[in-house]
Amino acid sequence: MSTEVKVPTLGESITEATLGQWLKKPGEAVAADEPIASLETDKVAVEVPAPAAGVMGALLVNEGDTVNVGAVIAMIEAGSGTTVAAPVAAPTPAAAPAPVASTVEATHAASADLTLSPAVRRLVLELGIDPTKVKGSGKDGRLTKEDVLAAAKGGAPAAPATAPAASPAPAAAATGERREERVKMTRLRQTIAKRLKDAQNTAALLTTFNDVDMSAVMEARNRYKDSFEKKHGVKLGFMSFFAKAACLALKDFPAVNAQIQGDEIIYHDYVDLSVAVSAPNGLVVPVVRNVEQMGFADIEKAIGDLGKRAKDGALTMEDMAGGTFTISNGGIFGGLMSTPIINPPQSAVLGLHRIEDRPVVRDGQIVIRPMMYLALSYDHRIIDGREAVTALKTIKEAIEDPTRLLIDL
């Protein structure tokens, strides 16, 4: 008896995806609800669970193929997987585009008969680790992210970073040889590119800057971080301060938290905060909802959870939907200043940057203070310059005097 494996519902308005990776090979035993494939959509990576227990049968599509919701992509046969011969996978058409996965990773996975999760697979590629030389500590000996990171720190033998897609690499490259590699953009990267360009083409983008003295926030954090973590079970970071400060500013200047829909302006009496985080396939912006009602601990927990799931490729469509205002922290990568692009249909985004000691004047004296540049990019069609500048100044003042966050000033 055979069971069809179909592409699951992927979310509102999502009708197709790209088959990113097969997690099971024909002939392998499969448990019910066990992930057997990963799909890449416009926003997130989605795992396809097995509809029934049995043996992995024929793979009807190849990695890199586009599949529609409801399409049959594989079969699961009855049995235990110990004596069933492996069915032959569908052949790859000669003119089909090369899969996104590199030939290095494919070679390693095939030679070791490994099953890597999407997050582990991406980490292996990023760090250049040969998975056949790393012992897995997960279920059934599978590799985990911690295994790969430990191998990287321990100096595990590294695999070549890339290989030409068109032809096998020579055993030894000649000195000064120039190479190129052509890799198809992932569906997520294509969507990111389109949305960012659409934002530039549609919105009247403008950026206003300010700088903020981080002394007060850093002092408060250092004073209370141990007791905060002991009570709430989460570390006290800077993002919760900026989230609360943003809520203060958005309350006073509702246009910064509004959206244009047709010939109408939609104002929100709530703040659904999109937090830009780095995921294996690119930048994503999951949403923390009703931030204006949350305390510091709740904000830190929510952001930490979304960040972890983004790195693990475990975000859902619901995590990405909505959002009225965005905070992007380029400072974690060392960025000193930038002009962030808004996340449509939102009208503004706050850009944070690295903290560095700089000379400033205080009471007529030159002193050294930990300073950060702030950038607020906004849609000038809906937000006037006065509103944008004053909103950013409100955020600056709240960070420099956190007491304002407590008394709503």
Side-chain angles (χ1 to χ4, degrees):
M1 178 179 177
S2 300
T3 303
E4 295 179 338
V5 179
K6 297 182 179 180
V7 177
T9 300
L10 301 173
E12 184 179 358
S13 76
I14 305 297
T15 60
E16 61 181 23
T18 300
L19 197 296
Q21 182 190 18
W22 284 111
L23 305 179
K24 284 289 187 177
K25 296 182 177 64
E28 290 185 336
V30 176
D33 297 324
E34 180 181 7
I36 58 175
S38 66
L39 300 174
E40 294 178 355
T41 72
D42 291 353
K43 297 181 179 181
V44 295
V46 179
E47 291 185 336
V48 180
V55 179
M56 196 69 199
L59 310 182
L60 305 180
V61 298
N62 300 292
E63 294 181 354
D65 287 354
T66 297
V67 292
N68 295 320
V69 171
V72 178
I73 59 175
M75 304 297 293
I76 292 180
E77 310 294 343
S80 63
T82 56
T83 59
V84 177
V88 179
T92 303
V100 174
S102 73
T103 55
V104 173
E105 187 271 341
T107 300
H108 290 161
S111 63
D113 198 29
L114 294 176
T115 299
L116 305 179
S117 71
V120 172
R121 171 174 169 258
R122 296 186 186 102
L123 193 61
V124 164
L125 292 173
E126 290 173 3
L127 299 179
I129 297 298
D130 185 345
T132 65
K133 295 182 171 61
V134 182
K135 183 177 180 181
S137 62
K139 183 180 178 180
D140 298 327
R142 291 191 180 187
L143 289 184
T144 65
K145 291 180 61 179
E146 290 72 21
D147 296 332
V148 178
L149 291 172
K153 292 179 180 179
T162 58
S167 59
T175 303
E177 181 180 350
R178 289 153 54 92
R179 295 185 180 183
E180 293 181 353
E181 180 182 10
R182 187 180 297 271
V183 179
K184 185 178 179 180
M185 293 174 66
T186 64
R187 185 175 294 272
L188 176 60
R189 175 53 60 185
Q190 293 178 48
T191 301
I192 291 173
K194 182 179 184 300
R195 286 175 61 84
L196 293 180
K197 190 57 184 172
D198 286 347
Q200 287 184 320
N201 294 339
T202 303
L205 286 177
L206 190 62
T207 304
T208 184
F209 298 93
N210 213 319
D211 61 356
V212 58
D213 186 341
M214 295 291 291
S215 299
V217 166
M218 293 176 71
E219 180 182 355
R221 180 175 180 270
N222 289 334
R223 180 183 299 178
Y224 298 114
K225 63 180 182 180
D226 292 336
S227 55
F228 184 90
E229 184 174 6
K230 182 177 180 181
K231 179 177 180 178
H232 299 291
V234 64
K235 293 183 178 180
L236 178 60
F238 295 133
M239 280 296 290
S240 53
F241 286 93
F242 280 102
K244 297 295 286 185
C247 289
L248 197 66
L250 299 179
K251 179 181 179 181
D252 292 343
F253 303 95
V256 184
N257 193 43
Q259 299 175 3
I260 293 179
Q261 290 187 11
D263 58 356
E264 297 179 331
I265 299 176
I266 309 299
Y267 293 95
H268 307 95
D269 66 352
Y270 55 88
V271 178
D272 283 354
L273 183 64
S274 299
V275 183
V277 296
S278 181
N281 277 352
L283 192 71
V284 294
V285 278
V287 180
V288 181
R289 306 187 192 282
N290 298 314
V291 176
E292 79 286 351
Q293 300 178 11
M294 301 172 69
F296 282 76
D298 293 330
I299 294 173
E300 292 292 351
K301 289 177 182 178
I303 293 176
D305 175 64
L306 291 174
K308 181 179 184 301
R309 288 197 283 134
K311 292 179 180 178
D312 292 341
L315 290 174
T316 66
M317 294 297 176
E318 290 73 19
D319 294 326
M320 312 289 290
T324 63
F325 183 77
T326 295
I327 295 181
S328 178
N329 186 7
I332 60 176
F333 304 112
L336 178 64
M337 186 180 292
S338 67
T339 55
I341 300 178
I342 63 173
N343 178 28
Q346 298 174 23
S347 299
V349 53
L350 175 66
L352 310 182
H353 302 90
R354 78 168 184 254
I355 302 170
E356 65 173 8
D357 289 339
R358 292 202 300 268
V360 295
V361 177
R362 295 288 185 268
D363 300 324
Q365 301 294 319
I366 298 177
V367 295
I368 303 298
R369 291 288 187 269
M371 304 296 293
M372 176 197 287
Y373 286 116
L374 302 178
L376 182 70
S377 291
Y378 59 99
D379 188 346
H380 213 342
R381 297 178 303 165
I382 182 175
I383 304 171
D384 294 331
R386 180 190 66 82
E387 293 175 303
V389 170
T390 312
L392 187 58
K393 183 172 178 286
T394 300
I395 294 174
K396 166 188 168 70
E397 291 173 344
I399 295 298
E400 293 184 338
D401 183 7
T403 303
R404 289 173 174 267
L405 300 176
L406 301 177
I407 62 176
D408 192 16
L409 182 61

